[in-house]
Amino acid sequence: MKNLLPILTVVAAIIALWYGAAVWLNAPWAYDKAQRAEVQLSTGELIADTWSQKKPKLPAPHQVTREIWKTTVEKKITSKRSLIYHSWITLSATLLGFALGAVLGIALAVGIVFNRTMDMSVMPWIITSQTIPILAVAPMIIVVLNAIGIQGLLPKAIISMYLSFFPVVVGMVKGLRSPDHMQLDQMRTWNASGAQTFWRLRLPSSMPYLFTSLKIAMAAAIVGAIVGELPTGAVAGLGARLLAGSYYGQTIQIWSALLVAAALAASLVAIIGLIQRITLKRMGMAQ
């Protein structure tokens, strides 16, 4: 309860502010309708109107909750209107991009730590690559790969990889360099080879850094998958759902897709956190 109470307090405060913001942002449209109908709105009528508009600027929490229920529980999973269907499409690209980004990030980190040339030349380019907005890169990747006949899952996964490999590189470089000089000197006194030092000292020491980086990379991967769906013409996926809602002014649809995407990202990060606790406990590391 000590951990749950602060979370519930913050959630309640967010929901209260959300309802208040819905009244504030949707009030002009309610007043405009009342003025054209030549009626005077009371406070209660104003609140009821702002919380029940079909295309509000900011939908109320219960409107978003109702939309999520309608597009998950009340729709078949195979339906093109089901958020579960769209979530799976986004999830598949996210997981593939995350896996590719993690492998690439770890490989680059190992090269950077053990090769000074890579450290001096590759690392600055890795940092520079993240200064380019993903919204500018994504359409180019989609168009170029489409021109050579690569479509579907892989282009979106590459965009996810582009965002997710960076935190893994930075975290693993820091983790592999975390052993102090005394530990490295001890390995030398045991006549340990470079490979033995890596597997028995550097890699175990980097595990906390790796899992922290993977959490960030997973969140970045799902953003990359959603962004990668935008240039595809709103075919499928949570990004396509957002784009279709933007086309037709369906703000409730947009917010429901956003919350489902946030819940999906939180679930994936929680899974990584669970794996982290199990792994570090088996390694004898303090939590």
Side-chain angles (χ1 to χ4, degrees):
M1 287 300 296
K2 290 182 179 180
N3 294 329
L4 187 60
L5 184 60
I7 296 174
L8 294 178
T9 302
V10 172
V11 170
I14 292 173
I15 292 176
L17 290 173
W18 189 348
Y19 271 112
V23 174
W24 176 47
L25 292 173
N26 300 330
W29 175 243
Y31 282 128
D32 184 63
K33 289 190 299 181
Q35 185 178 9
R36 285 187 275 114
E38 297 181 351
V39 297
Q40 188 72 25
L41 289 176
S42 64
T43 303
E45 291 172 336
L46 173 64
I47 293 174
D49 186 283
T50 55
W51 288 354
S52 60
Q53 294 176 5
K54 291 184 177 181
K55 293 184 178 182
K57 285 186 177 180
L58 177 63
H62 67 271
Q63 291 179 292
V64 178
T65 303
R66 191 187 309 123
E67 176 69 14
I68 293 174
W69 177 269
K70 185 173 67 175
T71 53
T72 54
V73 178
E74 297 181 1
K75 295 288 184 183
K76 293 182 178 180
I77 296 178
T78 55
S79 172
K80 296 295 181 66
R81 294 185 178 182
S82 170
L83 278 177
I84 298 177
Y85 167 79
H86 291 287
S87 296
W88 166 247
I89 292 175
T90 300
L91 178 62
S92 59
T94 298
L95 293 179
L96 179 57
F98 171 76
L100 294 174
V103 171
L104 177 62
I106 293 172
L108 288 173
V110 172
I112 288 169
V113 169
F114 287 95
N115 189 303
R116 181 169 174 78
T117 302
M118 284 191 66
D119 186 18
M120 300 297 292
S121 60
V122 176
M123 193 63 179
W125 282 104
I126 292 174
I127 296 172
T128 303
S129 70
Q130 300 303 301
T131 64
I132 304 173
I134 188 61
L135 289 175
V137 175
M140 291 188 289
I141 294 175
I142 295 294
V143 171
V144 170
L145 293 181
N146 184 64
I148 60 176
I150 300 177
Q151 301 176 0
L153 181 65
L154 187 58
K156 293 187 293 182
I158 290 176
I159 296 170
S160 291
M161 180 190 71
Y162 176 81
L163 286 182
S164 63
F165 89 98
F166 177 73
V168 178
V169 172
V170 175
M172 279 300 289
V173 168
K174 180 68 174 178
L176 292 173
R177 288 174 174 170
S178 61
D180 56 33
H181 290 292
M182 185 177 296
Q183 292 172 313
L184 294 172
D185 287 341
Q186 187 176 25
M187 295 298 291
R188 293 190 189 97
T189 61
W190 293 340
N191 198 29
S193 64
Q196 290 174 323
T197 302
F198 174 78
W199 290 108
R200 299 185 182 183
L201 176 61
R202 290 188 183 273
L203 188 61
S205 299
S206 70
M207 286 297 103
Y209 297 87
L210 173 61
F211 281 109
T212 301
S213 301
L214 291 179
K215 293 176 184 178
I216 301 172
M218 180 60 78
I222 197 168
V223 172
I226 291 173
V227 171
E229 290 164 353
L230 299 180
T232 62
V235 177
L238 293 176
R241 188 79 173 169
L242 292 171
L243 190 59
S246 177
Y247 282 157
Y248 301 105
Q250 298 291 341
T251 51
I252 299 177
Q253 176 180 314
I254 293 173
W255 277 83
S256 64
L258 284 173
L259 288 186
V260 169
L264 183 61
S267 301
L268 294 172
V269 171
I271 291 172
I272 295 176
L274 178 61
I275 297 173
Q276 176 184 9
R277 286 194 295 271
I278 295 173
T279 303
L280 296 186
K281 184 177 181 180
R282 289 179 65 87
M283 294 177 66
M285 295 186 180
Q287 295 293 301

mmCIF file of all heavy atoms in Angstrom, residues 176-192 197-198 201-202:
data_model
loop_
_atom_site.group_PDB
_atom_site.id
_atom_site.type_symbol
_atom_site.label_atom_id
_atom_site.label_comp_id
_atom_site.label_asym_id
_atom_site.label_seq_id
_atom_site.Cartn_x
_atom_site.Cartn_y
_atom_site.Cartn_z
ATOM 1 N N LEU A 176 30.497 -1.446 -19.916
ATOM 2 C CA LEU A 176 31.721 -2.209 -20.170
ATOM 3 C C LEU A 176 32.955 -1.507 -19.608
ATOM 4 O O LEU A 176 33.977 -2.150 -19.349
ATOM 5 C CB LEU A 176 31.889 -2.449 -21.670
ATOM 6 C CG LEU A 176 30.858 -3.385 -22.315
ATOM 7 C CD1 LEU A 176 31.018 -3.401 -23.827
ATOM 8 C CD2 LEU A 176 30.972 -4.798 -21.755
ATOM 9 N N ARG A 177 32.861 -0.201 -19.429
ATOM 10 C CA ARG A 177 33.971 0.547 -18.849
ATOM 11 C C ARG A 177 33.809 0.759 -17.346
ATOM 12 O O ARG A 177 34.639 1.453 -16.725
ATOM 13 C CB ARG A 177 34.094 1.905 -19.545
ATOM 14 C CG ARG A 177 34.621 1.807 -20.967
ATOM 15 C CD ARG A 177 34.592 3.156 -21.661
ATOM 16 N NE ARG A 177 35.236 3.089 -22.971
ATOM 17 C CZ ARG A 177 35.198 4.062 -23.882
ATOM 18 N NH1 ARG A 177 34.528 5.182 -23.621
ATOM 19 N NH2 ARG A 177 35.818 3.928 -25.035
ATOM 20 N N SER A 178 32.766 0.191 -16.765
ATOM 21 C CA SER A 178 32.499 0.423 -15.342
ATOM 22 C C SER A 178 33.487 -0.253 -14.391
ATOM 23 O O SER A 178 33.692 0.249 -13.281
ATOM 24 C CB SER A 178 31.074 -0.022 -15.004
ATOM 25 O OG SER A 178 30.889 -1.399 -15.261
ATOM 26 N N PRO A 179 34.114 -1.409 -14.735
ATOM 27 C CA PRO A 179 35.101 -1.977 -13.800
ATOM 28 C C PRO A 179 36.246 -0.994 -13.544
ATOM 29 O O PRO A 179 36.763 -0.366 -14.476
ATOM 30 C CB PRO A 179 35.610 -3.227 -14.536
ATOM 31 C CG PRO A 179 34.484 -3.608 -15.451
ATOM 32 C CD PRO A 179 33.894 -2.308 -15.895
ATOM 33 N N ASP A 180 36.633 -0.873 -12.273
ATOM 34 C CA ASP A 180 37.707 0.080 -11.953
ATOM 35 C C ASP A 180 39.075 -0.540 -12.227
ATOM 36 O O ASP A 180 39.194 -1.718 -12.573
ATOM 37 C CB ASP A 180 37.593 0.540 -10.490
ATOM 38 C CG ASP A 180 37.594 -0.626 -9.512
ATOM 39 O OD1 ASP A 180 38.266 -1.635 -9.789
ATOM 40 O OD2 ASP A 180 36.903 -0.535 -8.474
ATOM 41 N N HIS A 181 40.105 0.275 -12.036
ATOM 42 C CA HIS A 181 41.466 -0.167 -12.356
ATOM 43 C C HIS A 181 41.909 -1.323 -11.467
ATOM 44 O O HIS A 181 42.666 -2.201 -11.913
ATOM 45 C CB HIS A 181 42.435 1.008 -12.219
ATOM 46 C CG HIS A 181 42.262 2.057 -13.272
ATOM 47 N ND1 HIS A 181 42.564 1.822 -14.597
ATOM 48 C CD2 HIS A 181 41.800 3.332 -13.210
ATOM 49 C CE1 HIS A 181 42.303 2.913 -15.307
ATOM 50 N NE2 HIS A 181 41.841 3.845 -14.489
ATOM 51 N N MET A 182 41.459 -1.348 -10.227
ATOM 52 C CA MET A 182 41.861 -2.426 -9.322
ATOM 53 C C MET A 182 41.343 -3.779 -9.812
ATOM 54 O O MET A 182 42.063 -4.788 -9.775
ATOM 55 C CB MET A 182 41.344 -2.142 -7.904
ATOM 56 C CG MET A 182 41.812 -3.148 -6.853
ATOM 57 S SD MET A 182 41.252 -2.712 -5.197
ATOM 58 C CE MET A 182 42.135 -1.166 -4.967
ATOM 59 N N GLN A 183 40.088 -3.792 -10.292
ATOM 60 C CA GLN A 183 39.522 -5.040 -10.806
ATOM 61 C C GLN A 183 40.244 -5.491 -12.075
ATOM 62 O O GLN A 183 40.529 -6.675 -12.258
ATOM 63 C CB GLN A 183 38.025 -4.856 -11.088
ATOM 64 C CG GLN A 183 37.185 -4.659 -9.838
ATOM 65 C CD GLN A 183 35.759 -4.286 -10.173
ATOM 66 O OE1 GLN A 183 35.512 -3.418 -11.007
ATOM 67 N NE2 GLN A 183 34.808 -4.932 -9.500
ATOM 68 N N LEU A 184 40.540 -4.530 -12.958
ATOM 69 C CA LEU A 184 41.268 -4.881 -14.181
ATOM 70 C C LEU A 184 42.683 -5.365 -13.872
ATOM 71 O O LEU A 184 43.183 -6.307 -14.504
ATOM 72 C CB LEU A 184 41.314 -3.666 -15.113
ATOM 73 C CG LEU A 184 39.948 -3.212 -15.666
ATOM 74 C CD1 LEU A 184 40.095 -1.896 -16.419
ATOM 75 C CD2 LEU A 184 39.367 -4.277 -16.576
ATOM 76 N N ASP A 185 43.336 -4.723 -12.890
ATOM 77 C CA ASP A 185 44.677 -5.158 -12.504
ATOM 78 C C ASP A 185 44.645 -6.556 -11.908
ATOM 79 O O ASP A 185 45.571 -7.358 -12.123
ATOM 80 C CB ASP A 185 45.276 -4.177 -11.489
ATOM 81 C CG ASP A 185 45.677 -2.858 -12.133
ATOM 82 O OD1 ASP A 185 45.830 -2.844 -13.369
ATOM 83 O OD2 ASP A 185 45.817 -1.860 -11.407
ATOM 84 N N GLN A 186 43.604 -6.860 -11.171
ATOM 85 C CA GLN A 186 43.483 -8.191 -10.600
ATOM 86 C C GLN A 186 43.358 -9.247 -11.685
ATOM 87 O O GLN A 186 43.946 -10.328 -11.592
ATOM 88 C CB GLN A 186 42.280 -8.257 -9.662
ATOM 89 C CG GLN A 186 42.167 -9.562 -8.882
ATOM 90 C CD GLN A 186 41.026 -9.545 -7.894
ATOM 91 O OE1 GLN A 186 40.070 -8.813 -8.061
ATOM 92 N NE2 GLN A 186 41.129 -10.370 -6.854
ATOM 93 N N MET A 187 42.573 -8.941 -12.746
ATOM 94 C CA MET A 187 42.458 -9.872 -13.868
ATOM 95 C C MET A 187 43.807 -10.070 -14.541
ATOM 96 O O MET A 187 44.147 -11.181 -14.983
ATOM 97 C CB MET A 187 41.422 -9.358 -14.875
ATOM 98 C CG MET A 187 39.994 -9.297 -14.350
ATOM 99 S SD MET A 187 39.324 -10.902 -13.862
ATOM 100 C CE MET A 187 39.182 -11.711 -15.450
ATOM 101 N N ARG A 188 44.618 -9.015 -14.607
ATOM 102 C CA ARG A 188 45.944 -9.131 -15.233
ATOM 103 C C ARG A 188 46.863 -10.010 -14.377
ATOM 104 O O ARG A 188 47.672 -10.783 -14.909
ATOM 105 C CB ARG A 188 46.561 -7.750 -15.424
ATOM 106 C CG ARG A 188 45.836 -6.869 -16.439
ATOM 107 C CD ARG A 188 46.626 -5.619 -16.773
ATOM 108 N NE ARG A 188 45.848 -4.673 -17.568
ATOM 109 C CZ ARG A 188 45.200 -3.629 -17.068
ATOM 110 N NH1 ARG A 188 45.260 -3.368 -15.758
ATOM 111 N NH2 ARG A 188 44.507 -2.828 -17.854
ATOM 112 N N THR A 189 46.746 -9.863 -13.057
ATOM 113 C CA THR A 189 47.592 -10.701 -12.195
ATOM 114 C C THR A 189 47.227 -12.177 -12.323
ATOM 115 O O THR A 189 48.073 -13.046 -12.058
ATOM 116 C CB THR A 189 47.454 -10.278 -10.720
ATOM 117 O OG1 THR A 189 46.094 -10.436 -10.306
ATOM 118 C CG2 THR A 189 47.892 -8.838 -10.532
ATOM 119 N N TRP A 190 46.010 -12.467 -12.707
ATOM 120 C CA TRP A 190 45.590 -13.849 -12.951
ATOM 121 C C TRP A 190 45.925 -14.298 -14.375
ATOM 122 O O TRP A 190 45.537 -15.388 -14.783
ATOM 123 C CB TRP A 190 44.099 -13.999 -12.713
ATOM 124 C CG TRP A 190 43.708 -13.821 -11.269
ATOM 125 C CD1 TRP A 190 44.518 -13.931 -10.177
ATOM 126 C CD2 TRP A 190 42.396 -13.517 -10.782
ATOM 127 N NE1 TRP A 190 43.805 -13.714 -9.025
ATOM 128 C CE2 TRP A 190 42.487 -13.457 -9.358
ATOM 129 C CE3 TRP A 190 41.172 -13.283 -11.370
ATOM 130 C CZ2 TRP A 190 41.402 -13.172 -8.544
ATOM 131 C CZ3 TRP A 190 40.076 -13.011 -10.560
ATOM 132 C CH2 TRP A 190 40.188 -12.957 -9.159
ATOM 133 N N ASN A 191 46.605 -13.417 -15.128
ATOM 134 C CA ASN A 191 46.980 -13.710 -16.511
ATOM 135 C C ASN A 191 45.754 -14.001 -17.386
ATOM 136 O O ASN A 191 45.781 -14.873 -18.258
ATOM 137 C CB ASN A 191 47.953 -14.899 -16.565
ATOM 138 C CG ASN A 191 48.690 -14.964 -17.893
ATOM 139 O OD1 ASN A 191 48.926 -13.929 -18.544
ATOM 140 N ND2 ASN A 191 49.050 -16.165 -18.314
ATOM 141 N N ALA A 192 44.678 -13.262 -17.117
ATOM 142 C CA ALA A 192 43.451 -13.446 -17.892
ATOM 143 C C ALA A 192 43.606 -12.815 -19.270
ATOM 144 O O ALA A 192 44.211 -11.742 -19.426
ATOM 145 C CB ALA A 192 42.263 -12.813 -17.174
ATOM 146 N N THR A 197 38.611 -11.523 -19.602
ATOM 147 C CA THR A 197 38.269 -10.279 -18.904
ATOM 148 C C THR A 197 36.907 -9.775 -19.335
ATOM 149 O O THR A 197 36.121 -9.278 -18.507
ATOM 150 C CB THR A 197 39.339 -9.214 -19.171
ATOM 151 O OG1 THR A 197 40.612 -9.695 -18.748
ATOM 152 C CG2 THR A 197 39.024 -7.915 -18.455
ATOM 153 N N PHE A 198 36.621 -9.916 -20.622
ATOM 154 C CA PHE A 198 35.322 -9.452 -21.135
ATOM 155 C C PHE A 198 34.182 -10.286 -20.551
ATOM 156 O O PHE A 198 33.211 -9.737 -20.021
ATOM 157 C CB PHE A 198 35.316 -9.541 -22.657
ATOM 158 C CG PHE A 198 33.973 -9.231 -23.270
ATOM 159 C CD1 PHE A 198 33.539 -7.922 -23.397
ATOM 160 C CD2 PHE A 198 33.147 -10.255 -23.711
ATOM 161 C CE1 PHE A 198 32.295 -7.639 -23.951
ATOM 162 C CE2 PHE A 198 31.910 -9.988 -24.271
ATOM 163 C CZ PHE A 198 31.481 -8.668 -24.390
ATOM 164 N N LEU A 201 34.321 -10.262 -16.342
ATOM 165 C CA LEU A 201 34.344 -9.011 -15.576
ATOM 166 C C LEU A 201 33.531 -7.916 -16.254
ATOM 167 O O LEU A 201 32.568 -7.404 -15.677
ATOM 168 C CB LEU A 201 35.784 -8.533 -15.370
ATOM 169 C CG LEU A 201 35.925 -7.177 -14.653
ATOM 170 C CD1 LEU A 201 35.317 -7.245 -13.260
ATOM 171 C CD2 LEU A 201 37.385 -6.738 -14.612
ATOM 172 N N ARG A 202 33.898 -7.556 -17.478
ATOM 173 C CA ARG A 202 33.249 -6.420 -18.127
ATOM 174 C C ARG A 202 31.765 -6.675 -18.401
ATOM 175 O O ARG A 202 30.920 -5.832 -18.081
ATOM 176 C CB ARG A 202 33.967 -6.075 -19.435
ATOM 177 C CG ARG A 202 35.356 -5.465 -19.242
ATOM 178 C CD ARG A 202 35.910 -4.982 -20.560
ATOM 179 N NE ARG A 202 37.264 -4.456 -20.440
ATOM 180 C CZ ARG A 202 37.556 -3.188 -20.123
ATOM 181 N NH1 ARG A 202 36.571 -2.343 -19.885
ATOM 182 N NH2 ARG A 202 38.821 -2.782 -20.050
#
